[in-house]
């Protein structure tokens, strides 16, 4: 088809449509190579289309040249970009340029961006103006890279929010108060709000999901992108960023919106907001969704407006950096840490610990971080999981003995003081019937591995199966913690009767 379409283009037949069809076809690498050979010696016919009276033909021609990625198209594409008067076409030239070596044009691109920032924004041009600025910024950043800022604000005071499990925010609050006695804290629906005098504790508390910052002057806003952008830029944000970082602006950001709006409306809102923030801040805040240092979190509230928070990626969260490897069934590290925190007061120091379904080792690693364990064993039927568990455990600096075996064929010379595990659940090929069988067999055999006063700590998606099968082996639930009502997950502590 590429021969016929190219021939029709040369004969000036359905040019715009044939350019579009060619773009679809040459997504195939072999067809792209063949088309590039086909037009050898006739490239001028393609570049001439950049002067077509039809704007969409110019657009498709530029994009097709970009798809081919041949450097001889760079100069005519850039020259056409400079001359293009139709705003909706201009960003397409820039998209095409991203496939060429454009290093010698970077200064020209910067000048284009500076000129663009002086352009008056109107209802008619704002969408395409924002697209063009975004493409220009992206090209410049790709060529020059991002100036990474180093966080230096460890000893500064902050207003923060720690997002936690909604049922157990008080655990995080108690930890924060013990580590940061000067903190003023308050519980709310999603976690803990606090005024802290430093951030030296961030890697010690393991039970929060995220650390967000409250910035003076941008706490909330109406659901209006232009008003919101103005509020953000006029707030303390830029001064605050400069105070706690080494290095100068620009700071690269993205916007994350939590809202019930349809996806297309959210996307349009975020693009409009991001472009306006860039413009009002004179690009001291630069939007970059691939490489960003901060995330502006826009959360729609019950009143129809938005709460505005910020997440810093220059402040590294290394709490779970040991987790180099995962498998699809891996428990989230923060949930493993919460499990260990909920059970900590019932654990024995230097206990002999077993995880019969250990996966990549997260539960055993977090158990040791909560209370020092003695000899520790992890068993899993998946060889891949055991290999990954050993990698994670070395990264955590711990010693855990891993055995690649079906737990129901596992043998051991001595009894254990404790079991801690994330029980198997229905996922992929594991059916509801499979899970029920595993629970039944587990409770039938687990007594053979445990001392009489042993503790069992189960993270379970199937509490009803524990309640059904545990009594048959004389185990009972003496502590139950609901982790997620939506997911049906619990942390269950069990002892043996008698």
């Amino acid at each position: 088809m590429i021969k016929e379409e190219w021939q029709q283009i040369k004969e000036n037949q359905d040019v715009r449509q044939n350019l579009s069809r060619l773009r679809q076809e040459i997504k195939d690498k072999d067809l792209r190579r063949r088309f590039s050979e086909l037009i050898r010696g006739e490239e001028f016919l393609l570049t001439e289309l950049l002067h077509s009276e039809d704007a969409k033909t110019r657009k498709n021609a530029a994009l097709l040249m970009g798809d081919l990625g041949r450097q001889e198209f760079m100069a005519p594409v850039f020259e056409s970009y400079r001359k293009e008067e139709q705003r909706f076409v201009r960003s397409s030239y820039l998209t095409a340029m991203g496939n060429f070596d454009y290093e010698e044009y970077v200064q020209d691109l910067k000048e284009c961006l500076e000129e663009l920032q002086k352009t008056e924004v109107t209802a008619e041009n704002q969408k395409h103006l924002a697209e063009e600025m975004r493409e220009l910024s992206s090209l410049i950043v790709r060529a020059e890279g991002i100036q990474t800022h180093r966080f230096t604000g460890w000893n500064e005071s902050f207003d923060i929010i720690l997002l936690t499990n909604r049922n157990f925010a008080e655990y995080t609050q108690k930890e924060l108060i013990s580590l940061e006695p000067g903190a003023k804290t308050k519980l709310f629906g999603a976690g803990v709000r606090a005024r802290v005098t430093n951030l030296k504790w961030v890697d010690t508390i393991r039970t929060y999901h995220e650390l967000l910052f409250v910035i003076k002057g941008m706490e909330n806003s109406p659901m209006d992108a232009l008003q919101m952008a103005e509020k953000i830029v006029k707030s303390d944000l830029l001064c605050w960023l400069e105070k706690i970082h080494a290095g100068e602006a620009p700071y690269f950001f993205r916007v994350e919106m939590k809202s019930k709006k349809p996806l297309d409306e959210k996307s349009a809102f975020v693009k409009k907001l991001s472009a306006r923030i860039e413009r009002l801040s004179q690009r001291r805040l630069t939007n970059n969704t691939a490489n960003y240092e901060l995330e502006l979190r826009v959360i729609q509230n019950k009143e129809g407006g938005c709460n505005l928070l910020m997440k810093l990626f220059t402040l590294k969260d290394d709490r779970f950096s040991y987790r180099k490897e995962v498998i699809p069934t891996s428990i989230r590290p923060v949930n493993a840490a919460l499990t260990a925190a909920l059970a900590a007061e019932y654990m024995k120091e230097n206990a002999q610990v077993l995880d019969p379904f250990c996966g990549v080792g997260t539960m055993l690693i977090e158990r040791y971080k909560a209370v020092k364990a003695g000899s520790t064993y992890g068993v899993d039927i998946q060889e891949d999981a055991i290999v990954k568990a050993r990698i994670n455990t070395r990264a955590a600096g711990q010693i855990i003995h891993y055995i690649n075996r079906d737990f129901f064929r596992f043998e051991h010379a001595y009894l254990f003081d404790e079991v801690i595990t994330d029980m198997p659940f229905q996922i992929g090929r594991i059916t509801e019937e499979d899970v029920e069988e595993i629970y039944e067999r587990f409770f039938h055999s687990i007594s053979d591995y445990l001392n009489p006063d042993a503790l069992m700590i189960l993270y379970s998606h199937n509490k009803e199966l524990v309640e059904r099968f545990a009594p048959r082996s004389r185990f009972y639930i003496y502590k139950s913690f609901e982790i997620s009502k939506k997911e049906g997950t619990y942390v269950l502590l069990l002892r043996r009767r008698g």
Side-chain angles (χ1 to χ4, degrees), residues 23-53:
R23 289 200 66 219
Q24 292 300 313
E25 290 186 38
I26 67 170
K27 287 180 179 179
D28 179 275
K29 289 183 179 180
D30 184 55
L31 287 176
R32 183 161 64 247
R33 179 188 57 78
R34 287 167 56 190
F35 180 67
S36 188
E37 288 297 321
L38 176 65
I39 66 170
R40 189 76 64 183
E42 298 181 328
E43 294 87 350
F44 69 94
L45 296 174
L46 195 53
T47 57
E48 283 179 355
L49 294 177
L50 296 174
H51 306 292
S52 170
E53 292 183 0

Side-chain angles (χ1 to χ4, degrees), residues 39 43 46-47 65 68 70-77 100:
I39 66 170
E43 294 87 350
L46 195 53
T47 57
M65 285 185 267
L68 292 171
R70 288 170 54 172
Q71 191 62 25
E72 66 258 42
F73 293 134
M74 175 67 222
V77 168
F100 307 134

